[in-house]
Amino acid sequence: MTTLLVSHNDCLYHDTTPAHPESPDRLRAVLRALEDEQFQYLARDDAPLATDEQILRAHPAGHIQWIGASVDRAAQEDHVFLDADTVVSPGSFLAARRAAGAVCHAVGSVALGEASNAFCAVRPPGHHAEQTKPMGFCLFNNIVVGALEAREKYGLERVAVVDFDVHHGNGTQAMFERDPKLFFASTHQSPLYPGTGAANERGVGNILNVPLAPGGDGAALEAALRDAVVPALEAFEPDLIMISAGFDGHKGDPLANLNYETEDFGIATELLCEAAQRLCQGRVVSTLEGGYNLGDLAASAAAHVAALMRY
Ligand SMILES: [Zn+2]
C-alpha cells in the first residue's frame, strides 16, 4: 500500500497579484520538496477537474456561476477581487476545479483501497469558502466537496475533518454544523482571522474547536490533538478522516503567531494516522490549506507527507 500525491500544473495558473501571500510559488515549493529521494515511492496522480455534480453537493449553482463569471471578467482585467483578499485571474476556474477534483480523486483512491492515504498539493485552498461565499483566498471548499464525494459516491457515511491550519476553518464548520454524520475539529490561533472558532461553537455536538493563544507551540498542538481531538474522533467513529493541512502555524509564518516547528507537523500527522488505523482502516485524505513562508511550508509539508508514508 502506498501514499498517493495528487496535484496538477493548472493549480499554478491561479494568479493572485504579485504581492499576494497565496502565491503559485507556494505550490512550486511544496512540489519541489516532494521530489526528494525519500519520496520516490509516492504514487503520483494528476488531479481531474471536479465536475459540476461534485461541486454542487457543497455549493449552489449560483456560486459556481459567480466564480466562473468573475474569471471571465478577469480575461479583460487580469484580476477580479471577490473580497479584500480573495482574487481570481484567467486561470483560476481551472485551478479551483483541479483543487476540488484532487480531493475527490484522493477520496476515491483511498475508499477503493488503491492507496492507504493521500495528500493533495493544490491551490487555491478551500477551508474558508462558505456555501455561497468565496473568502480568505478560497473559492470552492475543496475538503467539503471531497467529504460529500466520500459519502455520496463511496458510501463512507461518517466523515471527520481535522483542520490544523492556524486559521479557523469557518467554511467547513458552517457546512458541517447541522449534520450529525459529519464531524469537524479545528485547532487554530485565537484571536485571528476569520474570528470564528470559539470553543462554545459546537454545532449539533459534531463541532470541536480548540482555540490556541498566540505564542502556542507544538506541545499545545499535540496536547489539543491527543487530549481533545483524538478522543472526539473515537467517540464519532468515522469511516474516513480528512485533514485540512495548513502549515501557517509554523513559527516562521508571516501571517500568524503560533510557534510550531517543522517536525510538529509530522507528530500531528502520526497522531491522526494512528487514530485512523484504529477507527477506519487507516483511511486518511489530506489537502493543502495555508502556509506562507515558502521554506517552512515546503519543509512542513514534507514532514506531513513523510509521516503519511509511515502508515
Ligand atoms: Zn491559514
Side-chain angles (χ1 to χ4, degrees):
M1 288 288 279
T2 54
T3 293
L4 173 65
L5 172 66
V6 188
S7 188
H8 199 284
N9 276 343
D10 281 352
C11 292
L12 298 172
Y13 299 103
H14 165 57
D15 175 37
T16 47
T17 70
H20 200 288
E22 203 291 282
S23 69
D25 283 343
R26 298 178 59 244
L27 181 55
R28 288 191 186 95
V30 169
L31 292 174
R32 200 176 304 123
L34 296 177
E35 289 302 317
D36 188 89
E37 191 180 351
Q38 65 170 308
F39 300 111
Q40 63 179 310
Y41 297 117
L42 272 179
R44 294 166 192 261
D45 282 351
D46 272 344
L49 294 166
T51 63
D52 280 351
E53 181 191 359
Q54 289 169 325
I55 298 171
L56 284 167
R57 296 189 190 118
H59 301 281
H63 180 86
I64 302 176
Q65 287 157 6
W66 179 21
I67 305 291
S70 302
V71 168
D72 287 345
R73 267 175 54 215
Q76 269 78 50
E77 302 165 25
D78 290 341
H79 297 100
V80 171
F81 279 82
L82 306 179
D83 69 18
D85 49 25
T86 309
V87 58
V88 296
S89 69
S92 296
F93 204 47
L94 279 182
R97 281 190 185 267
R98 294 288 181 199
V103 184
C104 290
H105 178 73
V107 162
S109 297
V110 169
L112 297 173
E114 296 164 1
S116 39
N117 53 41
F119 177 64
C120 302
V122 293
R123 58 183 289 280
H127 72 153
H128 294 306
E130 298 188 346
Q131 209 172 18
T132 60
K133 190 162 87 171
M135 65 179 274
F137 316 159
C138 303
L139 302 178
F140 300 134
N141 194 312
N142 308 320
I143 205 159
V144 172
V145 173
L148 298 178
E149 173 88 348
R151 187 157 77 176
E152 303 296 324
K153 188 161 176 192
Y154 298 100
L156 298 173
E157 293 287 331
R158 302 175 68 80
V159 181
V161 169
V162 178
D163 184 329
F164 59 64
D165 189 280
V166 78
H167 303 97
H168 179 239
N170 59 292
T172 311
Q173 175 173 306
M175 286 194 255
F176 274 28
E177 65 190 356
R178 283 179 290 279
D179 189 330
K181 288 189 171 179
L182 299 172
F183 173 80
F184 177 67
S186 177
T187 59
H188 48 272
Q189 181 184 323
S190 179
L192 190 67
Y193 179 91
T196 49
N200 64 2
E201 295 169 21
R202 299 298 315 275
V204 290
N206 63 336
I207 304 293
L208 174 66
N209 284 304
V210 187
L212 304 174
D217 61 6
L221 172 65
E222 189 179 338
L225 293 174
R226 202 183 284 282
D227 300 339
V229 174
V230 168
L233 288 171
E234 278 164 359
F236 177 72
E237 298 184 329
D239 299 312
L240 169 69
I241 294 176
M242 302 182 75
I243 303 176
S244 266
F247 301 100
D248 39 10
H250 196 285
K251 65 179 182 183
D253 197 273
L255 297 196
N257 314 96
L258 292 184
N259 289 323
Y260 303 161
E261 305 278 349
T262 299
E263 46 272 28
D264 292 321
F265 293 102
I267 294 168
T269 306
E270 287 182 353
L271 283 169
L272 297 175
C273 287
E274 281 166 16
Q277 299 233 297
R278 293 194 298 276
L279 296 168
C280 53
Q281 299 166 46
R283 288 189 285 257
V284 172
V285 171
S286 173
T287 188
L288 179 63
E289 302 283 1
Y292 303 98
N293 174 308
L294 296 182
D296 294 333
L297 166 65
S300 301
H304 175 60
V305 174
L308 288 174
M309 291 174 76
R310 292 194 279 273
Y311 292 87

